[in-house]
Amino acid sequence: MDPGGEELYPIAILIDELKSEDVSLRLNAIHRVSTIALALGPARAREELIPFLQDSLDDEDEVLLALADELGKGMEEYLGGPEYAHLLLAPLENLAAVEESLVRDKATESINKIAAVLSARQIEEAYIPLLKRLTTGEWFTSRTSAAALYASIYPSTSPPIQDELRRLYTNLANDDTPMVRRAAAKSLAGFVKTLSKEHVLSDALPIYRKLSTDDQDSVRLLTVEDLIAIAQQLQPAEVKDHLLSSIRLSSSDKSWRVRYMVADHFVKLAEAAGPEIVREDMVTAFVALLKDNEAEVRSAAAGQLPGFCKLIDRDVILARILPCVRDLSTDGSQHVRAALGNQISGLAPLLEREATIEHLLPLFLHLLKDDFPDVRLNIISKLEQVNKVIGIELLSQSLLPAIVELAEDKQWRVRQAIIEYIPLLAKQLGVAFFDEQLGNLCMSWLGDNVFSIREAATVNLKRLTEVFGVEWARQAIVPKVLQMGGHPNYLYRMTTIFAITSLAPSLNVEVIRDSVLATVLALVTDPIPNIRFNVAKALEVLAITCSSTAEGRELVKTRIVPALQTLKNDPDADVRYFAGRALEKSGN
């Protein structure tokens, strides 16, 4: 083959694959585009590859998305370095104007990455013309992409160009197409951060006011982050002069989606607004959001409770916020109660001991008995904060009876839910408290008449061993579990085997040798076949656990393998099968 033909080979292959009818072939070609550029060398990559990519727009969105992604992954290095990075803008400009929004978003992301390596001259000669073409494009798709491209280069341009960029952005905010105005609203916060305070007031503020009073709520809801960004650039007095009416309007907007966005960003908005506005206006707005007609808004506001309450006085929390919290604890929506359960304990450090005992403890007790498991879990998972404020003694006196009551509930699903929370609770309350108050309760579940509870109880013991350590398990759990191994009721003996199988990976060789193994070996001759094949399963787990040390391997060889060989000759087929499998796994 002649050298010229060899040189053409990579680009020819790419062209063939990109024209293939098979989408996966076209995708693979795009993912290999940097390798092909490397094979071609910088000069040919610039002269042949980039024009080819620019001209061959695929009809498959998946391929276009991959191309938009690849062009932003340091592709300029294969073209000869950053001085040629502007050449990548042409194919990305085409991708930024396609119909599929995922492709456009990826294209704008890649353009912004390339902007970071462009020189001032490249920005002026290549980037700015591209930005103008997209901003004034005939199709709304190019104009929506343009909005995201201003912030990355604005600080690097000269004052006359900056004036023009602000004017062009204003045009996008006044566009007839809602999708373009939405894009302008979405990117305004980022653009505001690059402006001087003078231009924030002269240009960004009018744009924000226009978009925040748009007739489309999909545009208005995106202006909440713009409001925060503008407030962060101003002094509290300027916020009061220029933004107070906007804060009031957005928090009481007629669309619940806008109110939801305000509720979801309320702490950031309050921090940006400053203490005076928080005190005079935002407490009232927050109370209104906590009482909103829409459950989604109430959930979002409940999620902001501790953060917002840190910004206001304790007396205001007690007088204004707590009545709303009480109402939310009996809210008709389980998602609102779950959001409250997740955050309410964050109020304890702010209210301090006496007020927590008087006001919050009754609400904890109420939420602990909620029908919805997420509410109970959220309360239990955050008890540590309350513990720090009121102490373990009081917490146990008030909340433990509720936990015990749930643990003995006649509905087995409620009992199961509490079992799953116990390791979480144990971690927060400590080993001494656990042994005294909850240890017997955990063991009692092993004898429950519902199999799912017994199974959950064995998993619970394993998780507790991981929390408190092997030595604790040896003293507190293992003796009680083994005691059940001689029970006349076969279900108790079965639970012993399940518990050992579950605990084994968390135990060490010493505990297995001295405490556990004798009980398991005694059940090898149990009259119930179900127990015997579960013994085989347990011996398999014990053998794997022990085989990590020389002492353990000796134990497997001398005590576990002979027991498995006995079971391999069992009259029951299932027992023989599991014994055989265990011998294979243990290497015998």
Side-chain angles (χ1 to χ4, degrees), residues 249-265:
L249 280 172
S250 58
S251 59
S252 59
D253 195 279
K254 62 177 185 283
S255 166
W256 72 267
R257 289 182 181 85
V258 179
R259 299 198 304 277
Y260 170 83
M261 286 298 281
V262 173
D264 201 40
H265 293 79

Side-chain angles (χ1 to χ4, degrees), residues 6 13 15 78 83 172 179 238 285 290 406 424 437 544:
E6 277 185 29
I13 290 274
I15 290 168
Y78 302 103
E83 64 265 36
L172 290 175
M179 280 78 89
E238 293 169 317
L290 289 170
L406 288 169
L424 195 62
Q437 304 284 358
I544 292 166

Side-chain angles (χ1 to χ4, degrees), residues 30 33 45-46 48-58 63-65 67-72 75 79 84-98 103-104 106-108 110-111 114 126 130 133-134:
I30 291 298
V33 79
R46 295 194 300 269
E48 297 173 38
L49 181 61
I50 296 302
F52 174 72
L53 292 174
Q54 188 177 340
D55 295 338
S56 61
L57 262 191
D58 202 284
V63 178
L64 296 179
L65 182 63
L67 177 58
D69 189 31
E70 291 295 330
L71 292 176
M75 187 74 181
L79 304 182
Y84 298 104
H86 63 278
L87 297 173
L88 295 168
L89 295 175
L92 283 167
E93 181 179 349
N94 293 340
L95 293 168
V98 301
V103 178
R104 295 201 307 270
K106 186 56 76 176
T108 56
S110 292
I111 292 172
I114 291 162
L130 168 142
R133 287 193 298 275
L134 287 174

Side-chain angles (χ1 to χ4, degrees), residues 540-572:
E540 179 186 320
V541 176
L542 290 170
I544 292 166
T545 306
C546 291
S547 59
S548 56
T549 65
E551 185 191 357
R553 286 191 288 276
E554 183 62 27
L555 187 67
V556 172
K557 189 176 172 184
T558 56
R559 298 187 65 189
I560 292 177
V561 170
L564 285 170
Q565 284 167 342
T566 303
L567 289 168
K568 199 160 190 283
N569 299 317
D570 196 275
D572 187 275

Side-chain angles (χ1 to χ4, degrees), residues 6 73 162 215 241 334 357 364 420 449 484 552 577:
E6 277 185 29
K73 286 183 174 174
Q162 287 183 344
D215 57 352
D241 291 344
Q334 61 194 30
I357 294 166
F364 289 140
E420 286 164 8
N449 57 4
M484 293 165 59
Y577 167 75

